[in-house]
Amino acid sequence: MKARAHDRASLPDLAQRLRGKSRRLTGQRQAILRILAARRGPMSSKDLFASLDKGDCDLATIYRSLHLLEGLGLVKRFDFGDGVARYELVTCAEHEHHHHLVCVRCAVVVELEDCFAPELEEKIGQRNGFKSVTHKLEFFGVCPRCQ
Amino acid sequence: MKARAHDRASLPDLAQRLRGKSRRLTGQRQAILRILAARRGPMSSKDLFASLDKGDCDLATIYRSLHLLEGLGLVKRFDFGDGVARYELVTCAEHEHHHHLVCVRCAVVVELEDCFAPELEEKIGQRNGFKSVTHKLEFFGVCPRCQ
DNA sequence: ATCGCTGCAAAAATTTTGCAGGTAA
DNA sequence: TTACCTGCAAAATTTTTGCAGCGAT
């Protein structure tokens, strides 16, 4: 598996975080992150597999890598309700938490900048005695082209 | 498939809505709705299958029925991010839209009454040129018992 | 040289579909 | 009777896992 010189600036950080957990920076993982970095939007394992150069990486490795990277906080999992998990690269802290606007016809995804619910987490947590409350919020509609 | 006398008040309404689309009120569908009405919380197809009396209904029928009922607006689909679709009975209009607070340890689900995002739909739709915007919002945390 | 990682293939889990017979209206 | 519906089984999808060899450190 060939190494790539043109990988993103986040890779040093990645190497750091992998080392911290005795995980290895392999060509496959670099390739996966490269694709995710180029797309910026949520991708399924299948999307990733199709985008990779043939032979770069096995589909099983993609699943294993995404689980690992999710655990390390380098990618985030999203569910749009179609039974397919999608993952997005977490590039910087302020970009870490955000939401999507998904077209129900063509599945195009718009990344939304703002998050509107953080103050609710605290309130809802207190009201129900829950700790460490997070949330997932996605919007769905018909995009301009599909109308 | 035996009919049941003790079915909920929503059943006449159900029959009405089924007839409106040339759909039939079968024993299986009644059984599914009965279980969903008793639980009130989100259930997976497997949960439903386990709760039904043995022989009441095939698993494939559950999938088909849930799709049908979802299309009729009688049940609503929720996704908690574990790759398993869950469905909840829609009993009345004001109960139709709501959210959940899910324990990440034991998966207990608290039904939340309020919805906090409706005004956002309009704003986000306009801003991005989307029509018919809806949203899905779920909260996750650690429940009192699991802390 | 380790110990983790990957490919391959098989398995598991979830959901969909074809078809022949059964049933609500 | 006539569509629609169901059970059964097979298939399609998505994800996980076992294992032997490979590779990053």
Side-chain angles (χ1 to χ4, degrees):
Chain A
M1 211 46 48
K2 50 207 175 295
R4 289 162 205 287
H6 53 72
D7 282 307
R8 319 285 289 208
S10 57
L11 273 185
D13 173 53
L14 162 64
Q16 197 69 19
R17 300 175 81 164
L18 288 177
R19 275 188 219 104
K21 292 212 180 188
S22 309
R23 297 297 195 273
R24 285 167 185 172
L25 179 56
T26 64
Q28 287 91 332
R29 291 172 184 177
Q30 289 183 53
I32 289 169
L33 288 158
R34 180 171 49 82
I35 301 292
L36 286 172
R39 161 82 86 97
R40 299 279 237 81
M43 300 183 79
S44 68
S45 301
K46 225 178 187 175
D47 291 340
L48 262 169
F49 190 60
S51 297
L52 287 165
D53 295 333
K54 235 182 168 108
D56 258 7
C57 190
D58 189 77
L59 188 55
T61 298
I62 294 176
Y63 282 109
R64 280 187 281 224
S65 295
L66 289 174
H67 283 161
L68 172 73
L69 295 170
E70 187 187 9
L72 295 177
L74 279 158
V75 302
K76 194 168 177 207
R77 175 182 173 142
F78 292 94
D79 296 273
F80 294 157
D82 61 354
V84 179
R86 287 180 176 74
Y87 294 85
E88 217 179 281
L89 191 59
V90 173
T91 50
C92 49
E94 71 261 26
H95 190 245
E96 193 162 348
H97 183 83
H98 67 283
H99 306 291
H100 301 100
L101 174 56
V102 185
C103 178
V104 295
R105 299 258 178 83
C106 70
V108 66
V109 177
V110 176
E111 303 273 320
L112 301 176
E113 298 287 314
D114 308 318
C115 173
F116 322 88
E119 72 280 359
L120 288 175
E121 292 180 348
E122 177 70 14
K123 192 167 79 179
I124 287 173
Q126 286 197 341
R127 199 178 284 174
N128 297 278
F130 276 58
K131 300 280 188 192
S132 312
V133 177
T134 58
H135 71 272
K136 296 188 177 188
L137 170 61
E138 308 297 343
F139 293 89
F140 302 88
V142 183
C143 75
R145 289 196 50 203
C146 290
Q147 284 168 29
Chain B
M1 211 44 50
K2 50 205 175 295
R4 290 160 204 287
H6 54 74
D7 281 308
R8 318 286 288 209
S10 57
L11 270 185
D13 172 55
L14 162 66
Q16 197 70 19
R17 300 176 81 163
L18 287 176
R19 277 188 217 103
K21 293 213 179 188
S22 308
R23 297 298 196 275
R24 285 165 186 174
L25 180 56
T26 64
Q28 289 91 333
R29 289 171 185 178
Q30 288 183 54
I32 288 169
L33 288 158
R34 180 173 48 84
I35 300 292
L36 285 173
R39 160 81 86 96
R40 300 279 237 82
M43 299 184 80
S44 68
S45 301
K46 225 179 187 175
D47 291 340
L48 263 168
F49 190 60
S51 297
L52 287 165
D53 294 334
K54 246 199 155 94
D56 258 7
C57 189
D58 188 79
L59 188 55
T61 298
I62 294 177
Y63 282 110
R64 280 188 281 226
S65 296
L66 289 174
H67 283 161
L68 173 72
L69 296 170
E70 187 187 10
L72 295 177
L74 279 158
V75 303
K76 194 167 179 209
R77 174 181 174 143
F78 292 94
D79 295 274
F80 293 157
D82 61 354
V84 179
R86 287 179 175 75
Y87 294 85
E88 217 179 282
L89 190 59
V90 174
T91 51
C92 51
E94 71 261 25
H95 190 244
E96 193 163 349
H97 183 83
H98 66 284
H99 306 290
H100 301 99
L101 173 55
V102 185
C103 178
V104 295
R105 298 259 178 83
C106 70
V108 66
V109 177
V110 176
E111 302 272 321
L112 300 176
E113 298 287 313
D114 308 317
C115 173
F116 321 88
E119 73 278 1
L120 289 175
E121 292 179 347
E122 177 69 15
K123 192 167 79 177
I124 288 173
Q126 286 198 341
R127 200 178 284 175
N128 297 277
F130 276 57
K131 300 278 188 196
S132 312
V133 177
T134 59
H135 71 273
K136 296 187 176 187
L137 171 60
E138 308 297 344
F139 293 88
F140 302 87
V142 183
C143 77
R145 288 196 52 205
C146 289
Q147 283 167 28

